[in-house]
Amino acid sequence: MLGVFVCQCGTNIAATVSTDRVVQAAKSMLGVVHAESIQYTCSDPGQRAIIDAIQQKGLTRVVMAGCSPRMHETTFRRAIGRAGMNPFMLEMVNIREQCSWIHSDIDEATEKAIDLVRKGVARVRRQKPLQAGSSPVTRRALVIGGGVAGIQAALDIADAGIPVTLVEKSSTIGGNMARLDKTFPSLDCSSCILTPRMVEVKQHENIKLMVNSEVEKVRGYIGNFEIDIRKKASCVIEENCTGCLICQEKCPSKAPDDFNVCAGESKAISIPFSQAVPLVASLRKEYCRLFIKGKCSVCQKVCPAGAIDYEQEDIVVTEKFGAVVVATGFGLYDWKQSYPTYGMGMYPDVINALKYERLLSASGPTGGRIERPSDGKEPRDIVFISCIGSRDESVGRPQCCSIGCMYMAKQAILTKEHIPDSQSYIFYIDVRAAGKGYDEFTRRAQTDFGAIYIRGRVGKIYPRGGKLVVMGTDTLAGDQVEIEADLVVLATGLTPAEGAGQLARRLNISTDGQGFMAEGHPKLKPVETNTGGVFLAGACQGPKDIPASVAQAGAAAAKVIGLLSQEELETSPMVAEVNQLKCAGCFKCRDVCPYGAVEAQDARDGQVAHVIASLCQGCGLCNVACPPGVISLKGYTDNQLIAEVVEVLR
Amino acid sequence: MTDYSYFPGCSLTSSAAEYDVSFRLVAAAFGIGLDELADWNCCGASPAPHHWGGELGILLPARNLHIAGAGHPSVVAPCAGCYNRLKYAQFELERNPELRERTGAALDEAVRYQTEVLNVIQLLNREIAPDDLSERVQRRLSGLRLGTYYGCVLVRPPEVVRYDDPNNPVKMEPLLNATGAATPHFPFKTECCGSYMGLAKKEIVLQASKRIIEVALECGIDALVTVCPLCHQNLDLRQSQINAAYGTDYHLPVLYFTQAIGLALGHSPAELGINTHKNADFGNWTLDVG
Amino acid sequence: MPKTEVKIIGFLCNWCSYAGADMAGTARMKQPASLRVVRLPCTGRVNPLLVLKAFREGADGVLVSGCHPGDCHYNEGNYYARRRMEVLERMLPALGIDPARFHYTWVSASEGAKWADVVNEFTRRVKQVI
Ligand SMILES: Cc1cc2nc3c(=O)[nH]c(=O)nc-3n(C[C@H](O)[C@H](O)[C@H](O)COP(=O)(O)OP(=O)(O)OC[C@H]3O[C@@H](n4cnc5c(N)ncnc54)[C@H](O)[C@@H]3O)c2cc1C
Ligand code: SF4
Ligand code: SF4
Ligand code: FES
């Protein structure tokens, strides 16, 4: 008793596929007792029509020809479930994304749609009723990355009473926001709004904070992840350290000041900034005299708390989680090689905007006095150049960084506040300021703070008498411009954080063309990924400002809370199954299974394979590997696939 | 000994004769054979493609390619302009079968256009290893800071010439460094010198070339090195005009790439034709051998 | 009557290539109406015999596409697929099937444009040899 429903999807399908002809053809297919075309099958009246037909005609199998199963499979499974059918006795045939939308010839498209329906009918005729299984949920969440997004997500989840582990790669949480001076568009001070949140994380009874840590291995699935986290040795006993900074003061080994984007200098043992959370020193062995030359131990001698332990080793902890939030943020595009005409880093006074934030910041290495790196002089003429490694096909980076226009305006305003007789020039392609209050903000930079906006790109930067000549075009005036600058600030594009690709692979989530973590659906699943139970927050998913990062983090937290408020999760019944009577016991299936889901079971003569349904993810690798073909993936059995092939080519 | 077809072009037989002389000296020193193309003609230079329209800008260099096609596998064109025109013709012939037809009709036989076209930097890099050059140096150019000036047409348009990084070419540097000379960062290495505007609107050339010299001096450069006769003319010959127009007092020597290498090999400035340049004073740096 | 359109069977994994094909559709990237897609959880589920079956049933071409190496939803499914398809491809001539009629490739969920290119190009190729 098979029913075929052909969706018109308004005109989305009906304009290119003759749904009437598809219905006619379906009526003559084997087993079909009912076929009709419906204007919008997913709408309430549409679903009701389907349910009515099922109940009136006693349908036991349904083919839905319409949009992609990736779109509405769950919707229709629920609908036929409500009609009393087994929800898995459904086959969706994609005649929209993969048919009507990509063809223009009605005859060709209709013929193809009919082929596809025939294929669907053949397949669902061989489908068996399946029961979704269930598995218990671990009520604990992992948040990876402690920037503003990770902090927000961790706090929201923890506030709902769910235990959270927050894993941060560096020695403190805070991320890039901790480096900013003031923030657009309200110009509130970044640390004033961020540091209280950081402290909350530290004090929250439901949050376990692990710094200097990274996710190393991920096993399991939604509701039941088992994850190894490596905490790197920092040579400092976290519980003992009081953050007095004596070690940093006395340490003789200089080291790059990563937090200040190398605007200053740091030591081999250090705390990156004074509001760091946790306020604990970390030692970087690659710069430490003791580890390089074998002699020093100054920090150990001076530490009043006895917190230094050179023998400390990495530890790997394994924990169970029900859900994961990825919030690893962003890195900055390295412009030096791709923009040789900007001096390839040979001019110390050409810097990126993040370093400029540190020069603006009262807690920065210069105490908030803007000093140019070459000679420490206060600059007067400052040129900002937008879209470095953004919107630039010539370096293979077409995407917009989405925050550059805004922070350049902000930095121009702050510059004027710091140095009243300064002049800022901003080279831009066009000013993209779409957020609330954003356009007004960029205009204020011009009207109230005198920033001069020049529409065009900069071709070259070269030195002249201690200054830098910035040569560019003014495409509005149709002229060339040359500005003698004391300092040049580049708004460089955003990249995924270092190691994001590796982490994505470990979590089994996709990345987009630029390496950012890919969301489940660009519109409808903006915080999900294509792996159940793994969610995204902040700039790891794509360039974002703080408000957007925080909003996404809140959304991810809500998803996690929703997920972990369930006791048990439904699992897909499309798992492998062994016909043990015919199993030869070769265990080729066990060899290929990526999840260790196949185990040996004793049988009358020797051992046979058995699939642990809760571990099986339904990839079907075993199905192909099995020599006698007796382990089969439910819902994708050999019979079904062969029938599809045969019917579609009929 | 590898032999190459040699397309000197008009400049190297007249205003840039010293380029030809120095090139031949360097080639001889390394056993590079140069067979001058028989009956070659003008490459088309700037006027043919830009002012006379039509296909003359392709047909003229195409004939030279055709002649070269009967000779050695590669043809070298030291003048950057000639090199560019030959590459252009090759590029257009390659992608346009109808143009090939028409060119063939003009030549009375199917055009041979696939000979490899080399510029002088490419050729010398291929034939001379920096270490070999370093060993053969008679006059070490240590202390001399050379500004490598590639100009526009040697590296542009990149899809046509497909040579070096169009924004930051670096292929002259290894051999120059092998002579002991330094090649400091020079941001104007591909900036336009004003090109053939010297005839139509001299001020443009004076302004453009002035800036190149100015930046070179700012970068502490003792001499510029070029592979283009027209650039050479604008930067060297017109330096006095620049001084007159801007009240400057520039005396920056401008060498051909082959002259710089020739100097290192021990040839005298006169042998290399450096004495024909307007600015040949290297200041503190002495040209003594040894 | 001359055959205007060829018939190609596509075996696509649900997570990458099927989603990529959807994306090409969402972006309305026109493609020839040659392809009939069979959706599978993973290219690791593609039995080479299934490919041969498709040829035997009269398919003009068979296309197998999944996640890029390293990106398989099941971690390693496409590595198995790659080995299997590689061997299959080499065996085709012995079976009298022009290997140009078979193609396996990787298209991710975000590569809608690439997907359209693959379909266009493969259809062109199949038409040439058929
Ligand atoms: C120059 C500049 C100025 C800006 N000004 C403003 C402004 O004025 N207003 C505004 O709204 N926005 C501004 N922004 C944008 C703002 O910085 C971002 O929106 C915000 O930092 C994004 O937060 P996040 O938590 O997603 O990422 P991040 O801040 O990048 O935090 C990510 C965290 O994850 C950690 N991490 C990375 N990889 C791993 C891993 N594998 N394992 C564990 N931890 C990891 C990092 O160490 C870091 O702590 C500016 C950006 C720049 C570059
Ligand atoms: S591969 Fe097949 S026969 Fe071998 S153990 Fe697994 S199920 Fe049994
Ligand atoms: S389908 Fe087979 S190989 Fe895949 S997870 Fe299940 S048991 Fe393992
Ligand atoms: S899931 Fe796409 S190839 Fe395995």
Side-chain angles (χ1 to χ4, degrees):
Chain A
M1 293 303 229
L2 212 155
V4 177
F5 300 90
V6 182
C7 186
Q8 298 163 8
C9 198
T11 54
N12 279 309
I13 291 171
T16 343
V17 170
S18 161
T19 47
D20 288 343
R21 264 152 66 193
V22 178
V23 168
Q24 282 314 315
K27 282 188 175 153
S28 65
M29 291 176 197
L30 192 61
V32 176
V33 298
H34 174 86
E36 67 174 305
S37 134
I38 297 175
Q39 194 182 16
Y40 285 106
T41 40
C42 61
S43 68
D44 195 39
Q47 295 193 32
R48 224 169 324 125
I50 296 172
I51 294 173
D52 286 349
I54 293 173
Q55 288 171 342
Q56 281 163 18
K57 309 238 165 142
L59 303 180
T60 50
R61 295 163 203 270
V62 165
V63 167
M64 269 294 320
C67 60
S68 169
R70 294 178 56 89
M71 187 89 192
H72 273 320
E73 196 164 49
T74 341
T75 313
F76 292 116
R77 275 196 184 143
R78 286 208 191 107
I80 67 168
R82 266 183 282 136
M85 265 181 60
N86 180 292
F88 295 93
M89 300 303 275
L90 165 81
E91 173 63 9
M92 281 195 75
V93 170
N94 186 339
I95 58 167
R96 192 179 76 169
E97 283 85 348
Q98 298 187 14
C99 188
S100 71
W101 277 352
I102 55 170
H103 306 313
S104 15
D105 184 293
I106 294 187
D107 288 337
E108 272 184 1
T110 306
E111 191 192 319
K112 171 166 163 182
I114 294 171
D115 278 356
L116 294 176
V117 169
R118 197 167 345 96
K119 176 180 81 99
V121 167
R123 175 186 163 83
V124 81
R125 276 181 47 220
R126 290 160 179 82
Q127 178 73 2
K128 295 206 179 87
L130 299 172
Q131 284 322 315
S134 71
S135 62
V137 172
T138 309
R139 206 163 163 275
R140 165 183 288 279
L142 171 67
V143 176
I144 309 171
V148 66
I151 290 173
Q152 179 74 30
L155 286 171
D156 283 357
I157 298 169
D159 283 346
I162 296 169
V164 177
T165 299
L166 174 57
V167 167
E168 165 60 48
K169 178 159 80 171
S170 71
S171 66
T172 171
I173 55 171
N176 280 302
M177 185 177 167
R179 295 185 159 112
L180 307 182
D181 178 31
K182 299 202 169 63
T183 52
F184 65 75
S186 48
L187 289 184
D188 31 15
C189 137
S190 191
S191 0
C192 315
I193 53 180
L194 182 66
T195 37
R197 304 291 279 164
M198 292 163 61
V199 174
E200 253 182 89
V201 166
K202 174 83 191 156
Q203 292 171 346
H204 207 295
E205 54 178 13
N206 283 334
I207 299 181
K208 173 174 158 193
L209 175 59
M210 294 180 70
V211 294
N212 295 318
S213 302
E214 277 184 75
V215 164
E216 192 160 273
K217 199 159 188 186
V218 181
R219 291 171 297 267
Y221 47 93
I222 179 168
N224 285 289
F225 294 104
E226 196 179 80
I227 297 180
D228 295 348
I229 302 163
R230 176 178 291 270
K231 186 167 172 58
K232 292 204 204 75
S234 66
C235 299
V236 176
I237 304 160
E238 230 177 280
E239 301 73 48
N240 292 6
C241 175
T242 60
C244 68
L245 281 179
I246 294 180
C247 54
Q248 180 171 340
E249 217 170 276
K250 301 288 185 214
C251 170
S253 305
K254 294 204 168 99
D257 188 352
D258 296 334
F259 181 76
N260 285 317
V261 202
C262 296
E265 214 166 44
S266 184
K267 298 284 186 64
I269 188 164
S270 65
I271 300 180
F273 59 108
S274 52
Q275 297 90 2
V277 169
L279 194 64
V280 170
S282 289
L283 184 150
R284 287 180 281 174
K285 291 182 183 171
E286 62 273 33
Y287 302 106
C288 166
R289 193 169 287 191
L290 179 67
F291 286 92
I292 298 169
K293 300 213 174 111
K295 229 181 131 184
C296 182
S297 308
V298 167
C299 49
Q300 193 169 50
K301 281 176 214 134
V302 299
C303 175
I308 310 288
D309 171 14
Y310 300 120
E311 255 85 74
Q312 199 178 66
E313 279 178 10
D314 289 8
I315 46 173
V316 178
V317 296
T318 304
E319 280 193 66
K320 290 196 158 193
F321 300 99
V324 179
V325 176
V326 184
T328 48
F330 66 91
L332 288 180
Y333 176 65
D334 184 10
W335 56 277
K336 295 197 175 86
Q337 288 315 309
S338 335
Y339 292 86
T341 56
Y342 294 178
M344 300 184 292
M346 312 249 302
Y347 312 131
D349 296 333
V350 180
I351 62 175
N352 75 21
L354 198 55
K355 186 163 181 167
Y356 194 55
E357 288 282 341
R358 297 312 296 149
L359 296 178
L360 287 166
S361 168
S363 61
T366 56
R369 203 184 105 88
I370 306 176
E371 292 174 3
R372 55 181 213 165
S374 62
D375 54 9
K377 280 211 202 98
E378 190 171 72
R380 210 198 77 87
D381 294 301
I382 295 139
V383 171
F384 296 88
I385 310 177
S386 76
C387 309
I388 304 302
S390 308
R391 308 180 67 193
D392 189 349
E393 292 276 11
S394 72
V395 300
R397 293 180 49 92
Q399 77 281 19
C400 173
C401 83
S402 88
I403 54 173
C405 290
M406 285 305 293
Y407 72 60
M408 283 195 308
K410 170 188 78 174
Q411 294 186 338
I413 290 174
L414 296 176
T415 305
K416 194 74 179 174
E417 282 181 346
H418 278 67
I419 313 170
D421 70 340
S422 65
Q423 177 62 57
S424 294
Y425 302 85
I426 298 183
F427 281 92
Y428 70 101
I429 298 184
D430 38 38
V431 178
R432 296 192 161 174
K436 181 161 135 185
Y438 284 15
D439 202 57
E440 298 90 311
F441 184 79
T442 60
R443 291 196 187 275
R444 264 204 307 143
Q446 302 167 56
T447 53
D448 301 1
F449 296 88
I452 296 178
Y453 274 64
I454 304 165
R455 183 175 172 279
R457 276 202 182 271
V458 167
K460 197 182 287 291
I461 301 171
Y462 65 95
R464 184 197 287 158
K467 292 196 161 211
L468 292 166
V469 182
V470 179
M471 273 169 72
T473 43
D474 181 339
T475 52
L476 292 180
D479 211 353
Q480 298 197 5
V481 278
E482 276 194 21
I483 295 164
E484 273 203 2
D486 299 300
L487 184 66
V488 179
V489 179
L490 305 179
T492 46
L494 267 53
T495 63
E498 209 187 311
Q502 195 182 36
L503 179 65
R505 274 194 291 283
R506 284 182 185 158
L507 289 164
N508 210 353
I509 60 178
S510 315
T511 50
D512 63 22
Q514 301 293 333
F516 288 102
M517 310 288 182
E519 65 277 15
H521 185 279
K523 279 152 259 178
L524 299 180
K525 292 183 176 176
V527 301
E528 290 93 331
T529 63
N530 57 17
T531 293
V534 180
F535 304 93
L536 304 176
C540 68
Q541 179 258 347
K544 257 187 216 71
D545 60 10
I546 298 163
S549 300
V550 171
Q552 199 186 16
K559 293 279 173 191
V560 170
I561 296 165
L563 173 65
L564 300 189
S565 63
Q566 288 162 266
E567 304 255 298
E568 289 197 322
L569 282 182
E570 215 173 68
T571 55
S572 163
M574 311 242 188
V575 294
E577 183 183 43
V578 182
N579 181 344
Q580 292 189 330
L581 289 174
K582 293 187 179 166
C583 171
C586 69
F587 295 109
K588 293 238 186 320
C589 52
R590 191 174 55 186
D591 297 342
V592 298
C593 178
Y595 302 97
V598 183
E599 62 180 0
Q601 258 181 4
D602 288 329
R604 242 178 316 154
D605 34 36
Q607 291 197 308
V608 293
H610 171 252
V611 175
I612 309 163
S614 62
L615 292 183
C616 174
Q617 299 296 301
C619 63
L621 283 180
C622 53
N623 200 146
V624 181
C626 174
V630 299
I631 184 166
S632 65
L633 178 61
K634 293 193 230 173
Y636 293 96
T637 61
D638 288 345
N639 267 345
Q640 285 179 301
L641 298 179
I642 291 170
E644 280 191 75
V645 165
V646 171
E647 287 298 321
V648 82
L649 287 167
R650 187 184 277 263
Chain B
M1 166 138 176
T2 320
D3 284 340
Y4 291 86
S5 300
Y6 176 31
F7 177 74
C10 315
S11 298
L12 272 80
T13 59
S14 54
S15 58
E18 74 274 26
Y19 191 4
D20 173 73
V21 168
S22 56
F23 178 37
R24 288 180 189 274
L25 281 175
V26 172
F30 286 92
I32 305 168
L34 298 177
D35 259 350
E36 186 167 334
L37 288 186
D39 192 31
W40 55 267
N41 56 264
C42 168
C43 72
S46 312
H50 296 300
H51 295 304
W52 295 325
E55 273 166 10
L56 197 60
I58 302 295
L59 292 176
L60 285 172
R63 179 171 177 276
N64 293 318
L65 280 178
H66 185 69
I67 298 170
H72 301 288
S74 315
V75 57
V76 58
C79 163
C82 298
Y83 168 71
N84 182 279
R85 289 317 312 162
L86 291 178
K87 290 292 272 192
Y88 236 113
Q90 198 161 46
F91 178 75
E92 294 293 347
L93 288 169
E94 180 77 50
R95 66 174 182 169
N96 187 344
E98 284 159 25
L99 178 66
R100 272 202 308 269
E101 290 272 308
R102 287 197 295 280
T103 312
L107 291 166
D108 288 335
E109 60 179 322
V111 56
R112 297 181 292 259
Y113 62 95
Q114 278 159 330
T115 306
E116 183 189 33
V117 178
L118 300 175
N119 63 52
V120 74
I121 307 172
Q122 219 169 354
L123 175 97
L124 296 186
N125 272 325
R126 186 176 293 182
E127 292 292 329
I128 310 175
D131 286 349
D132 287 349
L133 176 59
S134 188
E135 269 173 31
R136 300 269 304 265
V137 163
Q138 301 286 319
R139 179 193 285 125
R140 206 152 278 288
L141 306 188
S142 340
L144 198 58
R145 292 163 59 88
L146 297 178
T148 49
Y149 178 71
Y150 294 79
C152 323
V153 297
L154 189 78
V155 289
R156 281 184 286 226
E159 61 276 18
V160 172
V161 294
R162 293 207 195 96
Y163 182 66
D164 214 344
D165 177 346
N167 289 315
N168 184 37
V170 291
K171 302 259 195 249
M172 273 200 244
E173 272 80 340
L175 286 180
L176 291 178
N177 293 146
T179 68
T183 48
H185 175 68
F186 178 43
F188 269 42
K189 46 165 67 163
T190 60
E191 204 62 22
C192 177
C193 68
S195 183
Y196 61 96
M197 290 308 273
L199 298 174
K201 218 160 182 224
K202 195 170 74 178
E203 313 82 78
I204 293 183
V205 168
L206 297 187
Q207 191 192 354
S209 288
K210 177 203 172 223
R211 251 193 351 200
I212 294 169
I213 296 169
E214 183 185 345
V215 173
L217 293 172
E218 177 79 37
C219 295
I221 279 164
D222 300 318
L224 289 174
V225 180
T226 182
V227 288
C228 174
L230 186 54
C231 298
H232 191 272
Q233 194 169 47
N234 287 338
L235 290 166
D236 179 52
L237 196 64
R238 292 191 191 276
Q239 225 173 96
S240 54
Q241 294 175 355
I242 291 171
N243 286 338
Y246 290 95
T248 48
D249 189 22
Y250 296 149
H251 299 284
L252 183 68
V254 185
L255 294 174
Y256 285 109
F257 183 51
T258 46
Q259 288 176 319
I261 295 175
L263 276 178
L265 292 174
H267 294 292
S268 74
E271 282 173 306
L272 295 162
I274 296 177
N275 54 344
T276 65
H277 294 179
K278 293 291 173 208
N279 303 281
D281 180 4
F282 291 88
N284 295 337
W285 195 78
T286 57
L287 284 174
D288 299 336
V289 178
Chain C
M1 215 172 75
K3 213 176 198 178
T4 47
E5 198 50 90
V6 290
K7 262 197 198 181
I8 295 170
I9 301 290
F11 294 109
L12 271 58
C13 89
N14 175 50
W15 303 98
C16 289
S17 294
Y18 194 89
D22 275 357
M23 191 189 184
T26 310
R28 313 292 199 273
M29 293 169 176
K30 294 289 177 230
Q31 296 152 47
S34 49
L35 186 72
R36 308 284 185 267
V37 170
V38 174
R39 183 166 73 124
L40 297 160
C42 173
T43 53
R45 176 65 188 89
V46 181
N47 196 322
L49 292 172
L50 198 60
V51 175
L52 293 177
K53 177 78 181 162
F55 280 122
R56 231 185 71 184
E57 293 296 323
D60 298 307
V62 178
L63 177 62
V64 176
S65 183
C67 316
H68 286 273
D71 289 348
C72 173
H73 186 73
Y74 307 98
N75 299 331
E76 43 205 59
N78 53 6
Y79 292 133
Y80 286 99
R82 182 164 63 185
R83 270 172 264 167
R84 291 167 183 160
M85 297 307 132
E86 197 54 45
V87 172
L88 173 69
E89 191 165 34
R90 288 181 208 175
M91 270 170 47
L92 289 177
L95 299 169
I97 299 168
D98 187 338
R101 293 166 59 198
F102 173 71
H103 185 48
Y104 74 91
T105 185
W106 322 115
V107 174
S108 81
S110 55
E111 293 175 326
K114 180 176 173 196
W115 175 254
D117 287 348
V118 165
V119 176
N120 280 307
E121 172 57 28
F122 185 56
T123 304
R124 204 185 50 75
R125 189 168 104 187
V126 169
K127 275 186 179 161
Q128 257 172 14
V129 299
I130 213 84

